[in-house]
Amino acid sequence: MAGQNTAATAEVGNHPFLRLVAALSTLAGWCSAAMIVLAVAITCQMIFVRFVLNGSTVWQTEMVIYLVIGATLVGLPYVQRLRGHVNVDLIPLALPFAARRGLAVVTLSLSIAIIAVMLWYGYEYWHFAWERGWRSDTVWGVRLWIPYLALPVGFGLLLLQLVADLVGVLTRTEAPFGLGDN
């Protein structure tokens, strides 16, 4: 079905947990967008300082890198909520609804397990930076726990969204893979 968008935004119904997670994922999406806009603004400022004022830029490049990486991680749950990640729906479309539901439960459970491991190691890495007072080896010398915070926050919110997706499928609030009973 090339060119067709068969999936939709995750349904929440009147389920309070799903509504809360949807609100958090949407907030994360807005924060991610703000980080991208800020990175673009800093890039424009850096270009102006470098090439118009002939000045040096100390912090701009590093800040833009941290903002773009942070925006990517913090934006993960919003993209998951919108079903914007790469999706191959050939197998789910070929399955009957009950088997599609079972495949969704298995797929979401495996995704939750993988993201939980990534959250654990992301938190551990952030905590090392916090505990040991790590700083970047640049002139700016930013405290690295600040940009590294995007790891546990992004993966934590993605994990929460995946759990909400699983709850939505199990409670029949949402169709598996966002696909109706075709």
Side-chain angles (χ1 to χ4, degrees):
M1 303 263 174
Q4 289 183 327
N5 185 6
T6 55
T9 303
E11 295 293 327
V12 295
N14 289 327
H15 199 287
F17 174 70
L18 298 181
R19 291 172 62 124
L20 173 67
V21 173
L24 287 172
S25 293
T26 301
L27 177 64
W30 280 99
C31 291
S32 178
M35 285 189 263
I36 294 291
V37 169
L38 185 58
V40 169
I42 291 171
T43 301
C44 292
Q45 185 268 353
M46 178 175 58
I47 291 167
F48 181 78
V49 168
R50 283 293 273 169
F51 297 106
V52 175
L53 301 179
N54 201 24
S56 67
T57 54
V58 175
W59 57 273
Q60 289 89 336
T61 303
E62 191 172 7
M63 181 69 159
V64 167
I65 291 168
Y66 291 144
L67 282 170
V68 171
I69 292 171
T72 302
L73 290 167
V74 172
L76 287 171
Y78 183 67
V79 175
Q80 175 62 27
R81 183 177 183 292
L82 295 181
R83 304 295 181 251
H85 292 289
V86 174
N87 184 22
V88 178
D89 57 3
L90 182 64
I91 294 173
L93 281 172
L95 294 174
F97 188 77
R100 185 182 304 162
R101 189 169 182 269
L103 180 63
V105 169
V106 168
T107 303
L108 286 168
S109 298
L110 288 172
S111 298
I112 287 168
I114 291 166
I115 296 302
V117 170
M118 293 176 77
L119 170 62
W120 172 259
Y121 285 111
Y123 172 80
E124 185 178 52
Y125 194 61
W126 168 80
H127 191 261
F128 280 150
W130 167 272
E131 190 176 65
R132 297 174 184 177
W134 289 354
R135 289 185 169 270
S136 66
D137 293 334
T138 61
V139 175
W140 190 25
V142 69
R143 292 171 297 191
L144 289 175
W145 70 266
I146 298 169
Y148 290 176
L149 186 60
L151 288 164
V153 169
F155 287 129
L157 289 172
L158 177 59
L159 180 67
L160 197 58
Q161 181 61 53
L162 288 169
V163 169
D165 291 346
L166 181 60
V167 168
V169 169
L170 292 175
T171 61
R172 299 183 192 272
T173 304
E174 181 180 2
F177 301 103
L179 302 170
D181 189 11
N182 299 2

